[in-house]
Amino acid sequence: MGRIKRIERVAALTKELVDNPLKLYSFTDFCKRFDVAKSTLSEDVQAIKNGLVAYDLGTIETMAGAAGGVRFIPYHSRIADTEFLQDLAVRMAEPERILPGGMIYMNDLVLTPRILMRLGEILMNHGQNEAPDYIMTVETKGIPLALFVARAYNVPLVMARRESRITEGSAVSINYVSGSTKRIQTMSLPKRALPKGAKVLIVDDFMKAGGTAKGLMDLVGEVGAEVVGVSVLVATKEPIKKMVAEYFSLFVLNDIDDVTKSIDIQSNF
Amino acid sequence: MGRIKRIERVAALTKELVDNPLKLYSFTDFCKRFDVAKSTLSEDVQAIKNGLVAYDLGTIETMAGAAGGVRFIPYHSRIADTEFLQDLAVRMAEPERILPGGMIYMNDLVLTPRILMRLGEILMNHGQNEAPDYIMTVETKGIPLALFVARAYNVPLVMARRESRITEGSAVSINYVSGSTKRIQTMSLPKRALPKGAKVLIVDDFMKAGGTAKGLMDLVGEVGAEVVGVSVLVATKEPIKKMVAEYFSLFVLNDIDDVTKSIDIQSNF
């Protein structure tokens, strides 16, 4: 490798850091890998931080000491996040999204990587103190959002299934009552998916009465792990009392009127 | 905003570019946003390219002319990709992954964002000429990989379902024969998910006889869209003749021996 200019090294350092949110890199490793002195690296990291903060693209955290290091935290200002979510609420309220049964078609929005990435980062920032070891969801529609929350936290995803599958080995199953239909359903998780004591953040796309979230919480308890939070994209206003005591939703769906073709949905930011 | 140093601007520019793979940014827009002359921007972009290439972190493509601009292409050297895939093959072959029915437990690997991101980028680079408008998969286990392929191409994901759901509106359904079990199954896609003429890359986690991939291809044809490729993570060696004429797999599963507890899987790189 020829002589690398400082500005070129900073580009490479930026890419490495932003690709691995929350991952703590030791200064020593970075010094070796980029072949620079610690003082030079510190200056580079400070420049990266300044640049990211100036353009509202996140920040860099530096920890001093022997166990010290540097990590990237995805971040946008509250104003930018609010604007992003309010724009999304406007798009979600487009009348042609109304489906029979009081549902909204959102696949074109919630399956777009750019949107998912931002939503994942917003949910991560909202609950940053939670420090989950795993993100958990249940098939199918919650998977994309949950996966990008997992990306923002840089931790693995765990997927519960509606029934137990041979391809996942021995499983733990629970029965739960769907809050809205009152039907008894089954949910299962491979036994090896979650270690005992693991901290789990539950993520789903939609919450009505909260039966599914409650089922996921029970499943986490069943394997001896711990729920540190429940985050959903959209929660309906009614019923006000959900089956889970605490949760966070980015949007509240107040009402869908199939006659006037109007959707009343608002951002919580 | 105070005076931004060149090195700080380069950090911000790098973040913006690498977060949006394959997205073409116009020079004019970037000049406005970062408040620099075109000549300065060109130098910045060249420095970013040099830095990324030097550390094998991807590259920057510059297109001249009125419609010109700049974009980031995720990329690692063939040597680095080969090493990554061979390491993964070693992990996939761990005997404790063997499940009844000749399956391998892989959730801990294929639900980890860092691994998924790399796999998505490798699959994108393999088929870069395909330029799909959409990535398509079928629930459930193919979703995470497909989503990160979608991220690498910066295009939306489309999910077929095993049955049609009220939450996705009117749907197109097809019946297909599962290649390995010979059972007739149903797959459906919301009518509005894919526009006519759209170019679709099919992605799944596993291919045995190829019945599911064939079903997805039929579904794409049914809505008047076009399949530009089929990519899977793992394909079994047997049957050698699959139900789809052309596909690409990152790994070949030669054999699982439940008695000797050995898995014979190899990377195609």
Side-chain angles (χ1 to χ4, degrees), chain A residues 136-144 146 157-165 167-168 176 185-190 203-206 212 216 219, chain B residues 111 138-144 159-163 165 168:
Chain A
M136 185 186 193
T137 192
V138 62
E139 61 180 338
T140 299
K141 286 177 70 180
I143 297 172
L157 176 70
V158 166
M159 291 197 295
R161 308 295 296 260
R162 299 283 180 188
E163 41 185 305
S164 144
R165 306 285 166 137
T167 59
E168 294 177 344
Y176 70 103
Q185 309 208 28
T186 307
M187 217 190 277
S188 77
L189 187 72
V203 174
D204 209 352
D205 63 327
F206 201 82
T212 304
L216 282 164
L219 207 44
Chain B
L111 295 178
V138 62
E139 59 181 340
T140 299
K141 287 176 70 181
I143 297 172
M159 289 197 296
R161 308 294 296 260
R162 299 283 180 188
E163 41 186 305
R165 306 284 165 137
E168 294 177 344

Side-chain angles (χ1 to χ4, degrees), chain A residues 96 99 139-140 157 167 192, chain B residues 96 99 139-140 167 192:
Chain A
E96 60 271 24
L99 295 172
E139 61 180 338
T140 299
L157 176 70
T167 59
R192 57 177 111 184
Chain B
E96 59 271 25
L99 296 173
E139 59 181 340
T140 299
T167 58
R192 57 177 109 184

